[in-house]
Amino acid sequence: MAEEDTTEDGLLGGSVRLIQQAGGYRVAIDPVLLAAAVPAAAGDHVLDAGAGVAAAALCLAARVPGVRVSGIESQRALVRLANDNADLNGMKDRVAIMEGDLLRPPPRLAPGGFDHVMANPPYLEPARASISPDAGKAAAGVEGAADLGAWVAFCLTMVRDKGSVTVIHRADRLDALLTAFHRKAGEIVVYPLWPVADGRPAKRVVVRARKGLASPMRLAAGLVLHRADGTYTPEAEAILRHGASLDL
């Protein structure tokens, strides 16, 4: 990819540098919020399913010193950028993204080999989507051969027993997400991301579950992202700008 086809941007108040494609899918706040919700500690090994250019992986590694993050991404151009980003941020020894299809995982991805798995799957079903002519943007936003159930099944396969799976997704697909976890994971927390504190419905949710447990589900209070004037709330600023964790 030519240099003019990429931009360098900043996450976490500029503490994470990110090279990404100038056109097509562009990283927004979702991977930052996803990374903030993973309950990882130093020494843990985390898998980022659908890692893209490693935005979530790098944000998690920046927040938790000593954590290791592996990622799987199907688009070769994004894998190159992701590993360049790990190098750019001095995290090449802790963040590594490999090319692969979650329906046919690379042999080096051992089932049950991760303490935590995180994912920001495509949000739209093909039948309900207006598919972008840009192939990269379409792949990021619209499900392909792997539907939401397949994404969750892959995450649960890769995480160890009692390890956590954390997913950010559209709130209007919460029913499908919970169905995918049914009888396979417990201690489920549903964490709404409210656009503003004026009664409008949440558009996004973070869902975290633990493999092999049967504890009851919990609906959390969630996070209000914006003030009435459109600026971020102090709580959102702490996460998006300063690398605070999301307290689920």
Side-chain angles (χ1 to χ4, degrees), residues 11-15 32 62-63 234-245:
L11 300 174
L12 300 184
S15 62
V32 184
R63 178 171 65 83
E235 295 80 9
E237 282 275 356
I239 293 162
L240 299 173
R241 307 295 187 206
H242 306 298
S245 61

Side-chain angles (χ1 to χ4, degrees), residues 144-227:
D147 62 10
L148 184 56
W151 278 80
V152 172
F154 171 77
C155 293
L156 288 169
T157 296
M158 291 298 155
V159 77
R160 64 169 172 80
D161 191 43
K162 299 184 181 179
S164 77
V165 173
T166 307
V167 179
I168 189 167
H169 215 280
R170 286 171 57 112
D172 62 5
R173 297 197 66 195
L174 179 59
D175 56 343
L177 189 52
L178 293 177
T179 297
F181 279 119
H182 186 57
R183 296 188 183 277
K184 304 178 187 72
E187 204 174 285
I188 296 172
V189 182
V190 177
Y191 191 93
L193 298 168
W194 309 105
V196 288
D198 65 357
R200 273 182 264 181
K203 294 182 180 179
R204 297 281 188 271
V205 290
V206 175
V207 175
R208 191 171 74 201
R210 293 182 63 194
K211 180 178 176 177
L213 297 185
S215 309
M217 188 182 78
R218 177 168 58 87
L219 178 61
L223 174 71
V224 177
L225 293 171
H226 299 99
R227 299 184 180 100

Side-chain angles (χ1 to χ4, degrees), residues 79-95:
V79 173
R80 289 197 298 267
L81 287 175
N83 288 310
D84 287 347
N85 283 328
D87 194 20
L88 179 67
N89 287 276
M91 296 181 184
K92 200 170 183 178
D93 59 333
R94 295 198 292 129
V95 176

Side-chain angles (χ1 to χ4, degrees), residues 16-152:
V16 170
R17 299 164 64 190
L18 195 77
I19 300 170
Q20 57 182 326
Q21 294 172 333
Y25 172 76
R26 301 273 296 170
V27 169
I29 66 172
D30 288 6
V32 184
L33 293 164
L34 172 65
V38 177
D44 285 349
H45 195 184
V46 181
L47 177 64
D48 185 2
V53 295
L58 293 168
C59 287
L60 179 58
R63 178 171 65 83
V64 186
V67 77
R68 291 183 299 132
V69 188
S70 297
I72 179 172
E73 169 56 49
S74 63
Q75 297 183 65
R76 183 171 299 176
L78 299 188
V79 173
R80 289 197 298 267
L81 287 175
N83 288 310
D84 287 347
N85 283 328
D87 194 20
L88 179 67
N89 287 276
M91 296 181 184
K92 200 170 183 178
D93 59 333
R94 295 198 292 129
V95 176
I97 311 303
M98 69 189 79
E99 184 179 355
D101 183 344
L102 62 86
L103 292 177
R104 293 173 291 279
R108 55 182 161 155
L109 280 184
F114 297 90
D115 300 292
H116 312 277
V117 180
M118 61 180 175
N120 181 14
Y123 287 155
L124 300 172
E125 298 169 287
R128 299 184 179 184
S130 177
I131 299 177
S132 170
D134 181 279
K137 195 170 185 179
V142 182
E143 292 174 356
D147 62 10
L148 184 56
W151 278 80
V152 172

